[in-house]
Amino acid sequence: MTALQKFIKQFPVVLSDEALAALLGIFRPASLEQYTYFAMEGRIETSFGFVESGVLRAFYRTTRGKEYNRALLEPGEFVGAYSALISGQVNHINIQALTPCNILVADYRQLTVLFDQYQAIERLVRHISESYYLFLENKELQIILHTVEERYEFFKQAHPTLENLIPQYHIASYLGITPTQLSRIRAKKL
């Protein structure tokens, strides 16, 4: 069973063999080299993907060039410029490979066509969207309600292998702190 099929099975929606085949049929394998972009601000994006291997970051860039990591994406997660896909508007988020990546890529319009053909696929995507919303709300609450040290501990629990795979400044940005603050926190833990 593929990683994507395993991911789908964790949700309380049963897809018929026909619906599952139709859904899996819209994906195609793609590779990203380190530091290449899956999505870029200023473009009209049409694709989303499922990460099979590698690590990506989703980030915003200010007009002054400062970057803020919104998400770090690992195998078993979906990746895409969702607001732009849903609205059809110009994209505002960048998604970049931090390591070489293998991704299953699909066209968002093909997915929406399947919504009309298979109600279970539409329900599945609703469950996936709801879980993503809960993740974002939880991250927001961590930033507001917890200390920097607690956020770092949450990060290490949620992403135990990332510290050895990506530069520390990306982790600091994801946590909403400076690289210097992260170095001090890590030094205290040693």
Side-chain angles (χ1 to χ4, degrees):
M1 183 183 315
T2 69
L4 179 54
Q5 287 174 298
K6 286 180 185 175
F7 178 84
I8 290 168
K9 287 191 179 288
Q10 73 181 333
F11 293 94
V13 176
V14 177
L15 297 181
S16 67
D17 290 343
E18 180 184 336
L20 180 61
L23 179 59
L24 296 176
I26 68 171
F27 288 91
R28 68 186 190 300
S31 297
L32 289 176
E33 293 180 20
Q34 186 176 26
Y35 303 123
T36 57
Y37 285 81
F38 181 77
M40 290 182 71
E41 61 188 309
R43 294 192 319 203
I44 301 291
E45 298 293 347
T46 59
S47 297
F48 68 100
F50 181 79
V51 182
E52 291 189 300
S53 66
V55 179
L56 299 99
R57 70 178 178 132
F59 69 98
Y60 294 104
R61 184 181 295 124
T62 68
T63 55
R64 293 184 177 183
K66 184 156 176 62
E67 297 176 355
Y68 295 92
N69 287 340
R70 180 174 191 233
L72 298 171
L73 303 153
E74 299 177 89
E77 296 185 72
F78 277 97
V79 59
Y82 301 114
S83 295
L85 291 173
I86 293 166
S87 69
Q89 302 294 315
V90 172
N91 179 36
H92 296 288
I93 196 162
N94 296 290
I95 302 173
Q96 180 187 44
L98 294 177
T99 67
C101 296
N102 290 317
I103 301 174
L104 296 174
V105 179
D107 183 280
Y108 183 71
R109 292 173 304 232
Q110 287 182 304
L111 177 65
T112 61
V113 167
L114 293 179
F115 291 167
D116 294 331
Q117 296 173 344
Y118 304 98
Q119 186 179 18
I121 291 175
E122 187 173 35
R123 264 196 324 276
L124 171 67
V125 172
R126 178 177 52 85
H127 282 285
I128 293 169
S129 298
E130 288 170 350
S131 69
Y132 186 67
Y133 174 81
L134 292 173
F135 165 80
L136 290 177
E137 185 175 87
N138 185 48
K139 184 179 178 215
E140 187 177 89
L141 287 172
Q142 285 180 10
I143 290 171
I144 294 168
L145 301 177
H146 295 281
T147 67
V148 174
E149 291 83 3
E150 290 170 332
R151 291 198 317 258
Y152 177 61
E153 287 302 316
F154 293 145
F155 170 81
K156 287 190 340 183
Q157 290 170 12
H159 308 281
T161 61
L162 279 190
E163 282 195 281
N164 299 322
L165 294 176
I166 64 174
Q168 296 299 305
Y169 64 89
H170 286 307
I171 295 169
S173 176
Y174 175 76
L175 294 172
I177 60 177
T178 67
T180 304
Q181 286 174 299
L182 180 57
S183 293
R184 286 184 191 136
I185 294 166
R186 293 181 77 222
K188 286 181 190 176
K189 300 288 179 190
L190 297 177

